[in-house]
Amino acid sequence: MTAAARPARLSVSAARRIALAAQGFADPRPTGRVDARHLRRVIDRVGLLQIDSVNVFSRSHYLPVFARLGPYPRELLDEFTAYTAKPRRREMFEYWAHAASLVPLAYHPLLRWRMERAHLDPWDSIRRIAHENPTLVADVEQLVVDQGPIVAGDTGIPRPKPRPGHMWNWHDGKVALEHLFWTGRITTAKRVHFERYYDLATRVLPAELLAVPTPSEQDAKRELVRISARALGVATEPDLRDYFRIPSVDTRRAVAELVDSGELIPVEVAGWTLPAWMWHEARRPRAVAARALLSPFDSLIWFRDRTERLFDFHYRIEIYVPEPQRRFGYYVLPFLLGETLAGRVDLKSDRQAGVLRVQSSWVEPGHDARHVAGELAAELELVAQWQGLSAIEVRPRGDLAPTLAAAL
């Protein structure tokens, strides 16, 4: 390969700024009222919002929007996702995209190949039930037809005894519903206290959407990789693969096609061992002045290997780690300051007492603790007010705790 043909070289800091800009962190937060246009812009940039059931601080899907926009009316996102009883607008639906995710309606045709693989791709219990107990699946589907929207308890099947080491304690009725959910025949009509109400997709999703022709599997996967590339800014093949959990062979083929079309530009990022590609319209800001608390499931950091490459930040969620073995805490959020991850905090919203509890707080090596504490204090005050909490309590755990307590 000649020197002229070599991919462009990027420093890690340049790659990091490109990634931050692609994810919406290079723009200042709105100073006035946040409305649907702001929310649509965030969703268009990140492509999807991951869902998680843990609510110790906040439901995870609300946090990426706050990280980018600051305080916003959560009911706005509820309306987009039909989490209210009488939604005024529905612009997203639930499906297995990255993981359990909220996805723009327009992406429904792009995920139908996954729906068609419900007998192959899900984990064992969901995959097996259609083969081992098709009568139950048919009966549960008929129950949805007759009575939907329903919750898992409406199937009348008792929950089994808890099994050590198992995160979910699903009965066969719930498994059958999840299989039907994976097939796309049923979907989430609403959630009440985060419990999913299942109904027929034909009764929940717009008829004009369901009538959109289904693209070929190759075309759909290429489009999903295109969306991922735009959302990531600069990425390796595993980064692109992970965004919508697309098989590697398909991702590699899509990357080759997007390189041929000029939409992906080969680059070398200093210190990265794998080839990388940059979205052809990616912004390359000279500086990023962001400040945000990041959900463990924020698309900026959800692929931990990429987080280490971009930010030199080792991060693992410790919810499922026994308490004596936790290093930083139960629900730890990285703190983005400027262009770096400058600290981490274990947060708990004590809604009954009206207190945001900082269970532990830590500063990353090389960062000035007083500066980080001051900025983190301001962000904590903002997020506490957004959650309707009137006080912040900093517990004396972590090397940032004394400085943070003083700043607050």
Side-chain angles (χ1 to χ4, degrees):
M1 181 181 290
T2 65
R6 286 199 187 101
R9 288 186 59 82
L10 294 174
S11 65
V12 173
S13 58
R16 186 164 56 240
R17 289 192 292 271
I18 292 168
L20 286 166
Q23 286 279 305
F25 287 106
D27 295 340
R29 289 172 172 174
T31 55
R33 178 177 175 272
V34 176
D35 58 25
R37 292 171 300 171
H38 298 102
L39 181 54
R40 287 191 192 101
R41 188 173 186 185
V42 169
I43 294 168
D44 181 64
R45 277 181 161 161
V46 301
L48 70 164
L49 300 172
Q50 185 175 344
I51 305 169
D52 188 77
S53 60
V54 177
N55 194 30
V56 64
F57 171 57
S58 170
R59 297 290 184 198
S60 64
H61 60 285
Y62 292 119
L63 292 175
V65 179
F66 182 92
R68 291 155 178 82
L69 298 180
Y72 73 99
R74 276 171 290 184
E75 60 269 18
L76 189 63
L77 183 55
D78 291 341
E79 291 173 1
F80 270 39
T81 58
Y83 281 178
T84 50
K86 296 180 180 179
R88 293 197 295 269
R89 58 171 71 89
R90 175 189 281 275
E91 301 193 16
M92 306 182 79
F93 73 105
E94 285 189 26
Y95 193 61
W96 291 99
H98 174 74
S101 305
L102 293 167
V103 189
L105 287 175
Y107 296 0
H108 187 278
L110 305 178
L111 292 165
R112 290 176 190 165
W113 61 270
R114 181 165 287 158
M115 298 174 188
E116 293 168 0
R117 294 177 58 86
H119 62 298
L120 296 172
D121 289 347
W123 52 89
D124 286 348
S125 61
I126 292 179
R127 187 172 63 248
R128 286 201 316 264
I129 197 164
H131 299 291
E132 297 178 358
N133 203 342
T135 300
L136 174 63
V137 174
D139 289 346
V140 168
E141 185 170 12
Q142 189 61 49
L143 183 66
V144 176
V145 172
D146 296 340
Q147 299 183 21
I150 67 167
V151 297
D154 294 331
T155 62
I157 299 174
R159 185 186 298 272
K161 293 181 180 179
R163 294 176 294 166
H166 287 259
M167 183 170 58
W168 292 319
N169 188 33
W170 287 359
H171 54 69
D172 284 351
K174 170 67 172 177
V175 176
L177 285 166
E178 287 299 316
H179 170 79
L180 292 164
F181 180 87
W182 198 289
T183 68
R185 298 205 294 274
I186 68 174
T187 190
T188 306
K190 61 180 179 179
R191 284 185 184 261
V192 178
H193 304 302
F194 208 66
E195 184 174 21
R196 178 182 282 162
Y197 280 70
Y198 301 86
D199 205 352
L200 296 177
T202 53
R203 291 201 288 241
V204 174
L205 302 178
E208 58 270 23
L209 172 67
L210 298 176
V212 172
T214 301
S216 70
E217 186 171 334
Q218 182 174 340
D219 287 348
K221 289 175 177 175
R222 185 195 311 112
E223 183 60 27
L224 291 173
V225 172
R226 180 181 282 119
I227 293 165
S228 306
R230 187 180 69 231
L232 292 171
V234 60
T236 64
E237 183 272 325
D239 298 338
L240 295 166
R241 179 202 321 165
D242 176 76
Y243 214 78
F244 283 95
R245 302 286 169 86
I246 298 172
S248 179
V249 63
D250 299 308
T251 307
R252 290 197 301 268
R253 179 172 57 195
V255 166
E257 292 168 347
L258 293 172
V259 169
D260 286 344
S261 69
E263 294 169 89
L264 281 179
I265 302 168
V267 294
E268 293 179 356
V269 180
W272 290 14
T273 59
L274 294 176
W277 294 269
M278 184 173 66
W279 180 244
H280 69 117
E281 295 178 334
R283 290 176 58 192
R284 302 182 64 172
R286 294 183 178 181
V288 175
R291 192 186 76 190
L293 290 163
L294 300 176
S295 159
F297 310 104
D298 192 296
S299 50
L300 179 68
I301 59 167
W302 64 24
F303 188 31
R304 309 306 188 208
D305 178 72
R306 175 178 170 85
T307 302
E308 290 190 42
R309 280 185 278 113
L310 276 175
F311 295 99
D312 191 24
F313 187 90
H314 180 81
Y315 178 55
R316 299 293 184 271
I317 190 167
E318 297 181 277
I319 289 174
Y320 307 112
V321 176
E323 185 172 0
Q325 299 173 26
R326 290 178 193 144
R327 182 180 177 190
F328 295 109
Y330 179 79
Y331 196 76
V332 174
L333 288 81
F335 180 50
L336 173 66
L337 184 59
E339 302 170 10
T340 64
L341 297 180
R344 55 186 97 200
V345 282
D346 180 16
L347 297 180
K348 178 179 180 179
S349 296
D350 186 338
R351 298 169 183 89
Q352 186 172 358
V355 176
L356 175 59
R357 303 195 185 279
V358 184
Q359 310 282 65
S360 66
S361 47
W362 313 81
V363 64
E364 286 298 293
H367 290 270
D368 179 77
R370 290 183 62 185
H371 176 61
V372 173
E375 294 291 337
L376 178 57
E379 192 69 9
L380 289 172
E381 289 172 346
L382 203 61
V383 77
Q385 183 181 14
W386 176 64
Q387 292 205 38
L389 305 173
S390 57
I392 302 172
E393 176 189 281
V394 180
R395 295 188 174 176
R397 180 168 184 254
D399 57 9
L400 189 62
T403 315
L404 179 61
L408 285 163

